[in-house]
Amino acid sequence: MTQNPIFIINPKSHRVSIKGSVLSQVAVDFGDIPVVYFDGSKPLSETLIPLLSQESDAVYVEGGDGTVVAALTACFEGASQGLALPRIAVLPGGSTNLAHKLLGVKVVDPQALKQRIGQRKRDPQTHESTMHTALLVETSETKTPYLGFLLSTGSLARLMLYTQQNLHGKTRGVVSIARAIAQLALFPNSTKFSDGLPVVRPSEFSTLAEGMPVNVSEQTFSVFSTFRELSLRLSPFWGRGEAPIGYTEATWPIRQMRLGIARALLTGARNGLEHHGLSSQGCSAMTFRTDGPVLLDGEALPIPDDQTFNVSVSPSWEFVR
């Protein structure tokens, strides 16, 4: 297999649009590296899979977490067609860049990255890497699964959308997330979503077994991840154990919401949150039905007609550090 990587650049992602692309500077010195400019206007698989079929062994992704979702999803689609899963190298290109923080390349200076890529082209074993799994999300209407790292439903998903729609113009990244959480803590009932209703409100949520509901409830939110730590040093999966997926849910209503939010921020979402109606566990897969919204790494997923999602875990993937 050739050691030529593929570069994926999202020119519309926040960091790239403000500071310029690191990968585009690197590509200048490597005329044989294909560069894909992806802005979400069409499926990435249309361009990426033909390049993967030429046996490129690594994909470098420069964009936000949504761009990483698109890259992983396209690579997995290629694998379903018999192609090998490539190594993934994530550079910071968006606002929050959670995937980069936990799995990304450590060297993002253009000159140093050029040297590392050149060295690796000569000797493919000279790289540090981390093995990690992703969430694999399927519905009855998806042709191929979506892959990402953080799946949220209900009020948490609405809070993320609210942040994107109302606060990302003023601040970015963890700063805007912190602003949204603070606003929610201070004004939980007056913080309104785009439909004019409060951001925090109940959602229908049912877990299913063999297609039949086994646990029906009104929830404030649910969150799934293969990561153990999220932005703002939150570690919300205290009951996960060694399971591949951490799953935390909040009943409706959250008791003493302001205190619960403060405790989550100050303690890393570990101590005493059961008192506020939160519970945490680990799982290897779950099928659930909800009336939405559902977000994967900040990207809203289409809600299928049957409102049913299946979450499982992907094969272990190699991430270049």
Side-chain angles (χ1 to χ4, degrees):
M1 179 177 286
T2 179
Q3 303 308 320
N4 287 334
I6 299 168
F7 287 176
I8 298 173
I9 302 169
N10 186 340
K12 292 185 177 181
S13 60
H14 178 70
R15 181 172 176 139
V16 174
S17 64
I18 298 298
K19 297 185 176 181
S21 167
V22 171
L23 289 182
S24 64
Q25 298 178 56
V26 174
V28 171
D29 288 353
F30 297 100
D32 56 349
I33 293 180
V35 180
V36 177
Y37 289 95
F38 169 73
D39 61 5
S41 60
K42 64 178 182 178
L44 180 58
S45 58
E46 293 181 6
T47 306
L48 184 58
I49 290 179
L51 293 174
L52 290 172
S53 67
Q54 299 174 21
E55 298 187 328
S56 292
D57 77 322
V59 174
Y60 282 67
V61 184
E62 186 178 22
D65 291 327
T67 307
V68 177
V69 167
L72 293 177
T73 300
C75 289
F76 195 81
E77 182 177 344
S80 70
Q81 300 175 19
L83 301 177
L85 286 177
R87 299 178 179 93
I88 302 293
V90 180
L91 279 75
S95 299
T96 54
N97 300 307
L98 179 62
H100 173 262
K101 175 185 176 183
L102 300 178
L103 296 173
V105 296
K106 298 176 181 178
V107 176
V108 295
D109 173 76
Q111 293 302 320
L113 193 57
K114 286 178 186 178
Q115 293 178 4
R116 289 190 61 181
I117 291 176
Q119 184 179 21
R120 186 174 177 278
K121 283 164 68 70
R122 296 187 297 271
D123 182 0
Q125 301 305 315
T126 59
H127 69 274
E128 180 185 352
S129 63
T130 297
M131 302 301 295
H132 199 78
T133 56
L135 296 175
L136 194 153
V137 185
E138 301 171 276
T139 75
S140 60
E141 299 177 6
T142 52
K143 178 182 177 183
T144 57
Y146 301 100
L147 275 83
F149 298 106
L150 179 66
L151 185 77
S152 58
T153 76
S155 297
L156 182 58
R158 275 188 291 272
L159 178 62
M160 293 181 181
L161 290 171
Y162 176 87
T163 302
Q164 295 172 10
Q165 297 165 2
N166 297 278
L167 299 180
H168 270 350
K170 304 172 183 177
T171 55
R172 285 276 170 171
V174 295
V175 175
S176 58
I177 294 173
R179 280 172 51 90
I181 292 173
Q183 181 170 327
L184 191 64
L186 293 172
F187 312 107
N189 296 320
S190 60
T191 300
K192 300 297 180 64
F193 195 54
S194 56
D195 57 7
L197 298 175
V199 167
V200 179
R201 61 181 188 262
S203 296
E204 294 181 4
F205 191 96
S206 305
T207 55
L208 308 177
E210 299 181 354
M212 298 299 292
V214 295
N215 183 20
V216 181
S217 65
E218 279 192 331
Q219 281 189 353
T220 304
F221 67 82
S222 296
V223 59
F224 303 77
S225 186
T226 56
F227 289 151
R228 292 187 177 272
E229 183 177 284
L230 307 179
S231 298
L232 299 175
R233 296 185 297 177
L234 293 175
S235 301
F237 307 112
W238 63 92
R240 173 178 175 175
E242 298 303 317
I245 299 174
Y247 166 65
T248 296
E249 63 176 343
T251 60
W252 177 260
I254 293 181
R255 297 187 291 272
Q256 298 176 298
M257 183 186 299
R258 291 184 177 91
L259 178 59
I261 292 173
R263 180 171 285 163
L265 293 176
L266 294 175
T267 67
R270 289 182 183 272
N271 301 317
L273 292 184
E274 292 89 350
H275 175 73
H276 299 278
L278 277 73
S279 61
S280 176
Q281 66 186 60
C283 64
S284 58
M286 184 184 293
T287 299
F288 66 85
R289 182 180 296 149
T290 187
D291 55 358
V294 176
L295 265 64
L296 181 63
D297 290 354
E299 297 294 313
L301 299 183
I303 304 295
D305 288 341
D306 61 8
Q307 299 182 329
T308 301
F309 293 80
N310 179 261
V311 182
S312 58
V313 67
S314 77
S316 190
W317 216 312
E318 185 174 0
F319 291 85
V320 178
R321 304 305 303 272

